[in-house]
Amino acid sequence: MEKDIYILAIESSCDETAAAVMKNGREECSSVIYSQIELHKLYGGVVPEIASRKHIEKINPVIKEALKNADKKLSDIDAIAVTYGPGLVGALLVGVAEAKALAYAAGKPLVGVHHIEGHIAANYIENKDLEPPFICLVVSGGHTHLVKVLDYDSFEIIGRTRDDAAGEAFDKVARAIGLGYPGGPKIDRLSKEGNKFAIDFPRAKVDGNEFDFSFSGLKSAVLNYLNQSEMKGIEINRADVAASFQYAVIDVLTQHAITAVKESGLNKLAIAGGVASNTSLRENIEEACKKEGIEFYHPLPIYCTDNAAMIGAAGYYNYLKGVRHGLDLNAVPNLKIGER
Ligand code: KG4
Ligand code: ZN
């Protein structure tokens, strides 16, 4: 029997300080997430300097807890995986410096991981049978991509947003209707009380690539609707606005994803990123996949938002492919997908 591979994974690219121990890429031994959301709420968004300082404070206790919960010592670990981009540079640096120090002290290999490749790999934890190739819709606070996952370490971007990311649109519209930060989960909840057909918000068509997205026009349409209603003295039904906005986003995401799967001939669709935890998006895509006979894969909501288990899953496959980083590994805030 082959030896089990244990990866200690670290994630600190935005406002979650996270560590996990993963066995053979798909089995979670432990996963600890310290969310800084409460800290940033006051400012209506993530404040990079505050995020970095909190990461420094939390990173050691979070890693210690992850090792303890997995009943592992650093000496039991085969490699240390860490997110080194994309993300906030100061936040990324905390995780990268920590991973390098641990790798050096314990004499373990260091494996740098791309944050979005981590989000995609979250699907492997939930779905033990999922293997590339497949299409993945990546929808987070910073990214909206349609990705053809050719292999565990090979990706082709077939569509991307031209302006705002889907999560960013959720956050901005939530702020405009007074829901606060982070907006995604709040719009998700409030939408359940509203009518998604109440307001016909636009679905942006983008010239050039049928798989690209644009959400800034939709965001402006919501803001215009709110301003005009106020000027005319019409009372705003926030639940209807939330539901109609959410439906406009979901409709476009679903259509593009389904068309991409059909054109690729791959017949497998996965979703990833914070917005992939949206209940209506999951339902809508599930229904569309059923209709089209497409296999639909999705991570548990806790693996959709930022966590280290997904970094451990991606790190495991990078490790198997022989990816090793030196102690000169640096944070790369605009790291391209598939880059090593
Ligand atoms: O993947 P993530 O945790 O961080 C990034 O890598 O960006 O995604 C965070 C984003 C935020 O914009 C948040 O509002 C959104 O995901 N989000 C949601 C939901 N939960 C989180 N958007 C819609 N519905 C949700 N339930
Ligand atoms: Zn993320």
Side-chain angles (χ1 to χ4, degrees), residues 3-273:
K3 181 189 166 303
D4 290 328
I5 304 283
Y6 290 94
I7 306 276
L8 170 65
I10 301 170
E11 155 66 39
S12 70
S13 66
C14 190
D15 61 346
E16 265 90 25
T17 320
V21 175
M22 295 297 289
K23 179 181 170 184
N24 299 329
R26 297 194 185 223
E27 194 179 316
E28 181 199 293
C29 304
S30 67
S31 175
V32 180
I33 304 168
Y34 171 78
S35 171
Q36 303 181 0
I37 281 178
E38 284 306 317
L39 207 62
H40 299 283
K41 254 183 190 164
L42 185 63
Y43 308 96
V46 178
V47 183
E49 176 67 19
I50 294 176
S52 313
R53 285 167 186 249
K54 206 64 187 173
H55 282 311
I56 290 175
E57 197 183 310
K58 288 291 171 188
I59 196 126
N60 278 317
V62 162
I63 291 172
K64 237 185 188 165
E65 199 181 330
L67 285 169
K68 183 169 158 266
N69 292 354
D71 203 16
K72 294 281 168 223
K73 298 187 295 296
L74 202 48
S75 54
D76 302 323
I77 298 296
D78 294 281
I80 295 167
V82 64
T83 306
Y84 73 110
L88 302 169
V89 68
L92 287 165
L93 273 171
V94 177
V96 169
E98 178 80 18
K100 290 198 287 190
L102 290 176
Y104 178 66
K108 302 290 179 185
L110 177 68
V111 180
V113 174
H114 189 290
H115 182 74
I116 299 302
E117 294 177 24
H119 272 300
I120 294 170
N123 283 284
Y124 301 135
I125 308 172
E126 273 301 287
N127 307 289
K128 309 291 182 212
D129 58 329
L130 175 63
E131 279 178 27
F134 57 90
I135 299 291
C136 189
L137 172 69
V138 185
V139 272
S140 74
H143 305 267
T144 302
H145 285 143
L146 256 176
V147 182
K148 193 185 274 184
V149 182
L150 300 163
D151 200 348
Y152 289 104
D153 63 343
S154 175
F155 308 87
E156 185 192 330
I157 296 177
I158 54 177
R160 51 161 46 94
T161 181
R162 300 272 178 95
D163 37 60
D164 292 350
E168 204 177 341
F170 268 93
D171 293 335
K172 286 177 178 168
V173 166
R175 193 178 309 150
I177 56 175
L179 293 178
Y181 174 85
K186 293 183 173 162
I187 289 197
D188 193 350
R189 235 170 288 135
L190 184 60
S191 292
K192 296 190 198 312
E193 296 161 28
N195 172 10
K196 66 181 181 184
F197 301 113
I199 310 149
D200 189 17
F201 287 129
R203 276 71 164 153
K205 285 263 176 297
V206 182
D207 290 337
N209 182 355
E210 61 169 325
F211 296 124
D212 278 356
F213 303 95
S214 167
F215 294 109
S216 70
L218 170 60
K219 177 195 67 194
S220 303
V222 175
L223 297 180
N224 284 343
Y225 174 85
L226 295 173
N227 286 338
Q228 287 190 3
S229 301
E230 200 184 341
M231 272 171 10
K232 291 178 196 156
I234 301 168
E235 203 183 322
I236 293 158
N237 182 329
R238 295 200 309 169
D240 281 353
V241 175
S244 302
F245 156 77
Q246 179 176 275
Y247 186 50
V249 176
I250 285 173
D251 195 21
V252 169
L253 293 176
T254 306
Q255 278 183 30
H256 285 207
I258 297 290
T259 312
V261 174
K262 282 165 78 176
E263 280 195 14
S264 72
L266 292 176
N267 215 42
K268 282 195 234 173
L269 175 64
I271 55 173

Side-chain angles (χ1 to χ4, degrees), residues 303-323:
Y303 294 133
C304 289
T305 44
D306 288 350
N307 66 87
M310 67 184 197
I311 303 303
Y316 168 76
Y317 288 104
N318 284 353
Y319 175 82
L320 289 191
K321 294 266 181 185
V323 174

